[in-house]
Amino acid sequence: MRPLLAAVLVTAVIAALAAGCSDGNVGTNEAAVEIAEGSRVLIAEPGDDLALADGTVTVDFGTDVKVLAGSATISLADGGTLEVRERSEVEIGTRISLVAADVLVTSGKAPVVVEGAGSEFIVDGVAQISRDFAVSASSYQGSVAVRSAARELVVPALRQVAVASLGVVPTSPKPLDYDPGDPWDRRFLAAAIELGDQLEAKSAGFTESVGRTEGRTAGFYRVLLPALENEPQFDERLLTPGLRPGEALVGATIALHGRTGSFADRWAAVFGFRSEGARWGLVALDQQVSDTSGLVASVNAAIGRQSFAFAPARPAATQPVGQPPVAPPPATTPAGA
């Protein structure tokens, strides 16, 4: 083979291998770091100092990635991904070490293990892991298993937990406290955020519109939500004392549109999650309500029925005492009839 041809072939092979790495085809103990355009990201492979990088870089386990501005996406061999943004710093390995700020984790063929301050967060789905004064996990999809000094807790979707220090794990997670301005929250919860705003306003408005003695019986809500007639489990026992009419109306509508368990099970899950502090959009998402526009339409229709079914009757005209009855005006015939 001619030397020039051999050199060309070797160059082509090297270029092909480089292209494969840049496409995210990484080995078992490697990861591909894709840096967003215009971002400032520092990378330090094992034994090296942090240095600015750009484009897509294939790195070995043990590499440190620190984002000064912008963002970067780290692709793992099994298809899992990590997204890091400004102020975030992680060390890549068989376990991901969260050094600072937060990381958005999406699991691949296997769960992704993130370590922070000695606690482990095993993500099987999509979750945000944050490290500040405490290490916290917010589960968008799937679940997160938390392990900290022999204490364990499973965090289902739409819940979150914070580990204040090693071994200090709450007994149960709490509803996810989203921020409408956070890009990650909006990516996964945009529909729930919008729906929640609508239902919160309708609940408050309905409570203000009904009388103080109304909204306390099952019959009241059967008139507003005719579908409740087909739910024999719905009766006064479900209307706990102190339940505001707007809360009962919205919660009952979500229970009717829910997809899992019996009506009584859905009712308990709806108001149980709500009592923990969940906003209505998350409650509907937790009940797997897919037709959100139909849900809002049902609430609107119920509010419309209330204004007709329970509107106060107009008082009948009365005749002053001691006055003769007033005769009606004589009928007239239109001209030309």
Side-chain angles (χ1 to χ4, degrees), residues 236-258:
E236 269 75 11
R237 290 174 296 179
L238 297 182
L239 299 173
T240 57
L243 183 62
R244 296 192 300 274
E247 294 285 291
L249 177 66
V250 172
T253 309
I254 293 176
L256 287 170
H257 284 254

Side-chain angles (χ1 to χ4, degrees), residues 45-280:
E45 293 208 56
D48 294 339
D49 295 329
L50 287 167
L52 283 172
D54 57 15
T56 300
V57 183
T58 301
V59 299
D60 295 324
F61 277 5
T63 295
D64 192 66
V65 179
K66 183 176 183 178
V67 180
L68 301 179
S71 63
T73 301
I74 302 169
S75 299
L76 306 176
D78 72 342
T81 60
L82 312 167
E83 294 182 40
V84 284
R85 54 190 179 184
E86 188 172 338
R87 301 185 304 105
S88 298
E89 182 177 355
V90 298
E91 182 180 314
I92 306 168
T94 52
R95 297 188 308 171
I96 307 302
S97 178
L98 178 59
V99 180
D102 42 28
V103 58
L104 180 66
V105 182
T106 302
S107 63
K109 296 178 181 178
V112 177
V113 182
V114 179
E115 184 274 335
S119 300
E120 288 185 347
F121 300 83
I122 300 95
V123 179
D124 189 7
V126 183
Q128 179 183 164
I129 312 298
S130 303
R131 181 172 182 176
D132 197 350
F133 297 107
V135 185
S136 61
S138 299
S139 179
Y140 294 118
Q141 299 171 6
S143 64
V144 180
V146 181
R147 295 175 183 170
S148 181
R151 296 288 304 276
E152 296 188 5
L153 177 68
V154 175
V155 184
L158 309 180
R159 276 84 171 168
Q160 66 183 33
V161 68
V163 180
S165 60
L166 188 62
V168 182
V169 180
T171 57
S172 63
K174 64 180 184 178
L176 198 156
D177 185 19
Y178 57 73
D179 176 6
D182 185 282
W184 292 347
D185 285 351
R186 290 209 62 83
R187 185 191 308 179
F188 296 100
L189 303 174
I193 293 172
E194 181 180 354
L195 176 63
D197 290 342
Q198 295 182 60
L199 296 181
E200 298 287 351
K202 294 181 186 299
S203 173
F206 183 77
T207 297
E208 292 294 326
S209 70
V210 301
R212 293 188 176 184
T213 60
E214 294 179 324
R216 304 292 186 266
T217 66
F220 177 86
Y221 294 100
R222 287 195 183 98
V223 171
L224 305 186
L225 296 168
L228 289 174
E229 293 287 356
N230 302 321
E231 301 294 346
Q233 295 176 315
F234 178 69
D235 55 30
E236 269 75 11
R237 290 174 296 179
L238 297 182
L239 299 173
T240 57
L243 183 62
R244 296 192 300 274
E247 294 285 291
L249 177 66
V250 172
T253 309
I254 293 176
L256 287 170
H257 284 254
R259 294 174 171 269
T260 58
S262 66
F263 178 82
D265 292 337
R266 297 196 300 272
W267 182 280
V270 164
F271 287 99
F273 197 27
R274 177 66 172 173
S275 67
E276 294 172 359
R279 286 175 261 191
W280 277 127

